[in-house]
Amino acid sequence: MQASSFVRGERLWRHQAEMARFGATPGGGIDRQAFTAAEIAARQALLGWARARGYAASLDGIANLFIRRPGRRDDLAPVLVGSHLDSQPQGGRFDGTYGVLAGFEALEALDDSGITTERPVELVAWSNEEGSRFRPGAMGSQVFVGALAAEALAGAQGNDGVPLAQALAATRDAFAGVPRRAAAPVHAPVHAYVEAHIEQGPVLEQLGAPIGVVTGVAGARWFDVTLSGRTAHAGTTPLAARQDALQAALRCIAALNDAMADPADRLRFTVGRLTVAPNVPNSVASLARFSIDLRHPDAAELEARAGRIATACAAAAPPCALRIEETMTMPPAPFDPGIAALIEARARALGLAVHRLPSGAFHDAAFLGRICPAGMIFIPCAGGISHNEAENVTPEDALAGACVLADVLGALAGA
Ligand code: HGY
Ligand code: MN
Ligand code: MN
Ligand code: MN
């Protein structure tokens, strides 16, 4: 008997609808950025459902929330399943949330099936996967696996000016009654990790395949480029006397567009954020800062392209001063072939069409793969749209992904 027989689509869909209330935006999406009141409320809803099932909860120092279903041998390293509840500012209801709720549905199905697994299974809501408010992204999973020292985040501030320490403290306070996990210098042992997620691309929908077996995650590197000039009167200052930071930033971005051209269209170069000071019509900009999100599946190519940033900006910046900071580094991460094979086998056993594909989006699973065998299950999303309020999935695909996840977890945990 498989746990998938006890997965209930209407229960999963009801949880999706309830979760979508937290941070709901008028356009039908969510704004549930890391450690905001909306994200805390979403975590508390999950905790309430978990407690109703009698699962034990715990919180670590970066506020990753763990929900544990015990196994026959509680001393054994657990199987982890998870994703994230935080979102982009104009995010969708399913990016991250689907993986957390499919993981919770899998735990409930294991309960309803009466299956006792050899190992414990822990559902994790990772902190700050998106990195939209506080950098870097995948913050919680990076700290958990030891890829990022919590101390390195000490002075971090959100793009809203709120210190990370303050936001983290508010989140921890909201879960005062939840036991703390020993802040082990190195992560607790993990037997394996699986994450279900929407594809955030169009491939599965175009192929009509409800299940994607993810082969790996493209590398991602983030930078902040700052141009410093001198503010001046827009009406009286001749061109030759200007140190216009915004014009310098626009020259840098134009030079970078040339440097990042890729006829194969495999490189992803995005300038998503531009801030200007004093940001008024009649004063020349004294400061301009823009973000760079650079991605490629091949490590050497990503390295080579990142190496072009300084050269392109140094030529375009004068007469303004230039500063480039790297704010996130994620090398390409292949997933465990054994877990990929298990996902494929369980999906086929359920009669589901499967397609293997890489992920252009980064995920917490990329970091868990540094400490244990890790893998991901994708489900299609409408038009491949994500990081957009229009993000959507069908109940049928949501159900299919949760069924595969439940059977994969049962197999990994020794049902
Ligand atoms: O940006 C990403 O790839 C992820 O969706 N946060
Ligand atoms: Mn995500
Ligand atoms: Mn995302
Ligand atoms: Mn993810």
Side-chain angles (χ1 to χ4, degrees), residues 256-280:
L256 287 167
N257 283 331
D258 293 342
M260 301 303 171
D262 175 19
D265 193 19
R266 295 184 72 211
L267 183 76
R268 297 285 177 265
F269 167 70
T270 310
V271 176
R273 180 186 288 155
L274 173 65
T275 47
V276 180
N279 203 28
V280 291

Side-chain angles (χ1 to χ4, degrees), residues 34-35 39-40 43-44 46-47 56-68 80-86 100 122-130 136-148 150 153 164 167-169 171-173 175 178-184 186-188 190 193 195 364-365 367-368 371:
F35 309 130
E39 200 226 347
I40 290 171
R43 287 162 172 253
Q44 285 171 328
L46 177 67
L47 181 60
S58 59
L59 203 78
D60 70 8
I62 194 78
N64 294 315
L65 178 60
F66 297 79
I67 288 166
R68 183 182 179 97
L80 261 52
V81 56
S83 196
H84 60 95
L85 290 173
D86 67 300
V100 173
E122 290 196 358
L123 170 65
V124 192
W126 298 107
S127 290
N128 188 28
E129 189 274 349
E130 293 290 358
M139 182 186 280
S141 51
Q142 288 198 62
V143 170
F144 178 77
V145 304
L148 174 66
L153 298 164
L164 172 63
L168 251 179
T171 303
R172 284 195 290 257
D173 292 351
F175 296 89
V178 174
R180 279 7 186 193
R181 293 168 78 91
V186 184
H187 54 83
V190 179
Y193 177 77
E195 178 168 352
D364 297 303
F367 287 96
L368 272 291
I371 64 166

Side-chain angles (χ1 to χ4, degrees), residues 380-415:
C381 54
I385 294 168
S386 183
H387 285 196
N388 182 308
E389 294 177 300
E391 191 180 271
N392 202 4
V393 304
T394 65
E396 296 72 27
D397 289 340
L399 173 61
C403 287
V404 175
L405 183 63
D407 288 350
V408 167
L409 289 176
L412 289 170

